[in-house]
Amino acid sequence: MRPTTFSRLMLVFMLVIALCVALLMGIFYFTMRDAQIESRMDALKAQAYDIAYLAATTETSRLETALGLPTTSGREMMRHKLRSVYDEYSAYCMVVDRSGQITAYFLSILEENTDLRAAFDARHIVKTLNTVLSGREVVAQDQGANGPMFTVAVPWIRNDRVMGAVLIQTAAQNVRSAYEGLTAKVALAALLTALVAGLLILSYTRRLSKPLREIADNASSMAAGDFSHRVPETGSREIYDLAVAFNTMSGKLEETEQTRRDFIANLSHELRSPMTNIRGFLQGMLDGTIPTADYERYLGIVLSETNRMTKLVTSLLNLSRMENDDTALSLSTFNINELIRLVLIAKVNQIEEKGLDMQLQFEEDSSFVLADHDQIEQVLINLMDNAIKFTPHGGRIQVLTCAIDTATMGITVQDNGIGILEQDIPYIFDRFYTADKAHTVGQGTGLGLAICKTILEKHHQRIEVLPRESGSAIRFTLQRAKAPLAEVAK
Ligand code: ADP
């Protein structure tokens, strides 16, 4: 099974957090360690100077001076000081004179403490002493006999003369223990931070992946043919955009599915009624219900119903061919006024039959357009058919041309017939839509305007219903063209 976005996000976030915490911990640890060591060394240096001062200011007897040792009371103070340094810092101190002889106070501590004695590194002390006796102080970390050691050594000076050295040594371990407790606390804090961050990430990634999961679930329902579900439009920008796009898509698919169902229902209906009529009449003729004398009349109806079905099927085929883009446009420049006249001549019988007043209003004598001549003829025929069909006896039909802009020509077919209701306008270009069922039943297929729209869309032009007080006006546009040279020469 593929890992979920949720688990991947979790993993990435956790890794990033672990990395950040480890990095911060590392930086903190080393900074703390250095700071601790530095402060411990400073403290030890201060102690060393205190001892150096003590050694320098203590009165000495001649014998003691000869030995480089302080007086009795001075000895007590020194012993006390050395012990307190030992107690406080786990560091042993020694005071030596120029000849390198160690004072007794240190020795007594050394005798008491076997560990200390084991850590004692004479070679190292001698090396440090040499530096200090030349007047310099030493702060160093060295490898002692029992592991790493920190050493602080300062000169003790009397009358501007280096009389000897104070040397303090402590095991690195003693310094480390001071910051080890702190490291444990920091580690605990880091663990808690990681835990809280982990919980936050958990809830965040859950919230992030929830809408995605819902979209996936809905997509599955859509695959099963159910387009009714919508996902909540919430979440961050991208998720919100995705949810909106998904809902728009499912809305469109639902519409398409409804159109498909309507189409099949309409088609079945459109075919069934003429077929029922044909079957009824033929049955009547065969079983003698229709007398032979009426045969001609009924056969006439059968023929007209057959024509209607043929027209319907032909229109459907045309429409589907055009929608599938099978028919490429055969563009040519022609005079639209001439085409309008030709269509009118073809319709003259129907116009006269209904006693309609036909008016043409051309903006120019010749208006040239670039389009597929036959397809535009079909558009004009469909619009004229509708105008004749929906205009009562004695009504008026007008065809007007006018330039919309330098590139576009508008052609309007308008009548003072029954008109189109406001609420029907958005649908009349849909397949099988017949607005006024009562008036138009049996008169049309509901495909005429759908065919017009498809043709004009292929031309990248538009067709629309113009607002009108009475009757209806439908305008379509065409691309204007220059007059062909042959026409200019006339
Ligand atoms: P039909 O074959 O039914 O005419 P159309 O697609 O050509 O199909 O037209 C769709 C519907 O638009 C018609 O049924 C009618 O209700 C309405 N319509 C179209 N043209 C006109 C018009 N000139 N006057 C009134 N209604 C019209």
Side-chain angles (χ1 to χ4, degrees):
M1 211 163 90
R2 281 173 165 273
T4 58
T5 314
F6 166 71
S7 60
R8 276 194 180 159
L9 267 178
M10 267 303 282
L11 193 75
V12 170
F13 280 147
M14 289 313 286
L15 278 177
V16 169
I17 285 183
L19 205 74
C20 289
V21 167
L23 207 72
L24 284 176
M25 278 283 294
I27 293 172
F28 187 81
Y29 176 85
F30 287 113
T31 315
M32 279 300 299
R33 193 192 64 172
D34 291 351
Q36 280 290 333
I37 292 173
E38 204 181 308
S39 88
R40 182 59 68 100
M41 289 304 110
D42 285 349
L44 289 180
K45 210 168 19 169
Q47 294 298 332
Y49 276 114
D50 279 358
I51 296 166
Y53 178 76
L54 214 57
T57 53
T58 306
E59 286 290 319
T60 50
S61 68
R62 259 188 27 196
L63 176 68
E64 283 163 341
T65 309
L67 290 171
L69 300 176
T71 56
T72 316
S73 64
R75 272 186 190 182
E76 273 313 305
M77 275 172 73
M78 186 65 91
R79 185 194 296 276
H80 185 73
K81 180 70 185 169
L82 297 184
R83 179 159 293 278
S84 76
V85 171
Y86 174 68
D87 289 343
E88 199 176 334
Y89 298 100
S90 303
Y92 64 87
C93 316
M94 73 177 102
V95 182
V96 293
D97 62 11
R98 286 194 68 82
S99 60
Q101 192 160 0
I102 304 167
T103 60
Y105 323 116
F106 171 72
L107 286 178
S108 67
I109 293 172
L110 209 58
E111 275 152 20
E112 277 169 30
N113 196 323
T114 45
D115 279 358
L116 215 54
R117 212 163 41 225
F120 189 74
D121 187 347
R123 260 184 320 128
H124 177 238
I125 291 170
V126 171
K127 202 178 94 198
T128 311
L129 272 180
N130 285 336
T131 316
V132 178
L133 289 178
S134 69
R136 283 174 288 159
E137 60 183 41
V138 172
V139 177
Q141 183 182 0
D142 299 290
Q143 194 57 37
N146 276 8
M149 301 286 289
F150 287 107
T151 306
V152 173
V154 298
W156 67 273
I157 300 166
R158 187 186 289 152
N159 300 329
D160 292 334
R161 218 182 135 226
V162 178
M163 302 296 288
V166 176
L167 187 134
I168 302 181
Q169 270 197 326
T170 183
Q173 181 54 40
N174 295 333
V175 180
R176 238 180 255 145
S177 61
Y179 59 82
E180 252 161 20
L182 200 73
T183 315
K185 277 183 198 150
V186 173
L188 189 73
L191 205 73
L192 280 176
T193 312
L195 203 76
V196 172
L199 286 175
L200 284 176
I201 292 165
L202 193 80
S203 89
Y204 173 70
T205 44
R206 277 244 168 94
R207 264 187 51 202
L208 201 72
S209 61
K210 191 171 162 247
L212 293 176
R213 208 172 290 256
E214 276 180 45
I215 290 175
D217 290 347
N218 276 309
S220 307
S221 332
M222 277 166 70
D226 180 3
F227 302 105
S228 61
H229 295 287
R230 299 289 180 272
V231 290
E233 293 173 359
T234 51
S236 55
R237 186 53 173 260
E238 294 84 352
I239 302 278
Y240 171 82
D241 287 350
L242 181 66
V244 170
F246 184 85
N247 285 343
T248 313
M249 181 187 74
S250 41
K252 286 264 181 248
L253 283 174
E254 195 177 17
E255 243 173 55
T256 310
E257 176 61 9
Q258 192 54 45
T259 313
R260 190 184 67 85
R261 288 192 184 154
D262 288 352
F263 176 76
I264 293 171
N266 284 325
L267 185 62
S268 322
H269 174 78
E270 290 295 328
L271 286 174
R272 208 182 52 191
S273 48
M275 273 160 74
T276 313
N277 288 344
I278 292 169
R279 212 174 114 241
F281 295 144
L282 292 178
Q283 187 78 51
M285 286 177 196
L286 279 178
D287 62 19
T289 325
I290 296 175
T292 327
D294 289 339
Y295 272 20
E296 201 179 325
R297 187 158 71 90
Y298 282 103
L299 282 175
I301 300 174
V302 167
L303 183 66
S304 109
E305 290 291 53
T306 317
N307 284 342
R308 200 154 82 86
M309 284 201 298
T310 312
K311 194 177 159 203
L312 176 74
V313 173
T314 314
S315 302
L316 262 180
L317 275 176
N318 284 342
L319 192 63
S320 118
R321 218 179 301 141
M322 274 184 289
E323 279 178 347
N324 288 338
D325 220 21
D326 281 355
T327 46
L329 290 179
S330 131
L331 293 179
S332 64
T333 301
F334 58 89
N335 185 352
I336 188 72
N337 300 359
E338 237 168 59
L339 183 61
I340 294 169
R341 279 195 204 98
L342 280 176
V343 172
L344 282 192
I345 291 166
K347 297 282 163 197
V348 80
N349 284 345
Q350 287 162 266
I351 294 168
E352 279 177 359
E353 236 171 60
K354 281 191 101 173
L356 298 169
D357 173 17
M358 192 68 229
Q359 294 179 1
L360 297 181
Q361 283 179 31
F362 297 146
E363 195 177 58
E364 302 157 324
D365 290 342
S366 304
S367 296
F368 288 93
V369 292
L370 180 70
D372 184 314
H373 184 275
D374 293 352
Q375 292 198 9
I376 300 305
E377 183 178 8
Q378 186 64 58
V379 171
L380 282 166
I381 290 173
N382 290 1
L383 293 180
M384 280 301 297
D385 278 348
N386 280 347
I388 296 167
K389 196 159 57 182
F390 298 110
T391 308
H393 239 262
R396 189 182 64 239
I397 298 175
Q398 290 168 298
V399 183
L400 307 98
T401 63
C402 92
I404 293 174
D405 55 51
T406 47
T408 323
M409 191 76 193
I411 298 102
T412 311
V413 178
Q414 64 185 42
D415 60 62
N416 62 352
I418 62 168
I420 304 166
L421 291 176
E422 188 81 28
Q423 71 260 29
D424 291 325
I425 292 176
Y427 308 107
I428 58 164
F429 295 102
D430 291 351
R431 284 181 293 188
F432 292 116
Y433 190 83
T434 48
D436 186 349
K437 314 268 184 222
H439 279 87
T440 59
V441 68
Q443 291 192 37
T445 56
L447 292 173
L449 289 182
I451 291 175
C452 293
K453 189 171 173 230
T454 310
I455 290 175
L456 289 159
E457 273 173 358
K458 284 188 77 174
H459 280 79
H460 304 293
Q461 298 295 329
R462 52 178 202 276
I463 181 163
E464 62 200 331
V465 177
L466 296 183
R468 221 171 125 75
E469 297 254 308
S470 67
S472 64
I474 296 180
R475 181 176 74 178
F476 65 94
T477 59
L478 286 177
Q479 187 188 331
R480 297 181 76 178
K482 281 194 181 134
L485 284 177
E487 293 288 335
V488 178
K490 276 184 196 172

